[in-house]
Amino acid sequence: MTDLDISEVAHRAGVPASRLRFYEEKGLIAPTGRRGLRRQYDPGVLERLALIALGRTAGFSLDEIARMTAPDGQPSIDRQMLTDRVEELDRTIRELGVLRDSLRHAAACPAPSHMECPTFRRILKAAVSGVVEVPRKRAPGPP
């Protein structure tokens, strides 16, 4: 199969060419050469971009994703890092479940005032003690 032009890779991967250039700067992908001024990529870059997208969806930073790639470009995924992320996701899911249930109660609470509702007051007390945590967003990263 022949190399793909940067515009073709961008189109097939559904990302802007600027993101491809950024990933190149970060060492996540590499062009095979140029045709005129346009970068050319091996068709395998599409699979690599899919892995990057999956890693980003799972919440990994680009640096973490880069560490999961062997020098030959093949995945070298740290299973402990995956296990740690699963545990983090499980905590977030539990916290979101508590938050969802708390909001659901507050929305349907029959008390004339939320402050008169014993359940709502328990929710407030739990929030102050840190039991009901609003999930922390990861620091914003590059595309």
Side-chain angles (χ1 to χ4, degrees):
M1 192 174 220
T2 70
D3 285 350
L4 302 172
D5 181 88
I6 189 169
S7 63
E8 180 67 18
V9 173
H11 175 73
R12 288 191 189 183
V15 299
S18 60
R19 185 167 304 164
L20 299 175
R21 290 187 292 273
F22 179 76
Y23 287 168
E24 186 180 328
E25 287 174 25
K26 295 291 269 177
L28 294 166
I29 63 173
T32 56
R34 290 182 181 266
R35 180 171 295 141
L37 295 176
R38 299 175 71 84
R39 291 169 169 84
Q40 300 291 300
Y41 294 91
D42 180 274
V45 76
L46 296 171
E47 188 172 82
R48 181 91 182 256
L49 291 168
L51 286 169
I52 293 168
L54 180 62
R56 296 293 286 161
T57 300
F60 289 105
S61 70
L62 292 178
D63 289 336
E64 290 170 322
I65 293 168
R67 288 194 303 268
M68 289 191 244
T69 306
D72 65 359
Q74 294 299 309
S76 177
I77 300 170
D78 181 335
R79 292 175 191 270
Q80 185 59 52
M81 190 183 290
L82 294 179
T83 299
D84 293 345
R85 182 54 42 96
V86 167
E87 290 171 6
E88 184 179 325
L89 287 171
D90 282 343
R91 276 190 304 278
T92 300
I93 290 167
R94 282 191 302 276
E95 290 171 359
L96 286 171
V98 169
L99 184 57
R100 178 204 58 221
D101 294 345
S102 298
L103 292 173
R104 183 175 286 143
H105 174 78
C109 182
S113 161
H114 286 97
M115 297 312 287
E116 295 176 41
C117 172
T119 301
F120 187 77
R121 292 188 73 75
R122 279 196 304 277
I123 291 168
L124 286 179
K125 186 176 180 181
V128 168
S129 70
V131 175
V132 177
E133 291 186 25
V134 175
R136 297 168 306 281
K137 288 189 175 189
R138 294 181 63 96

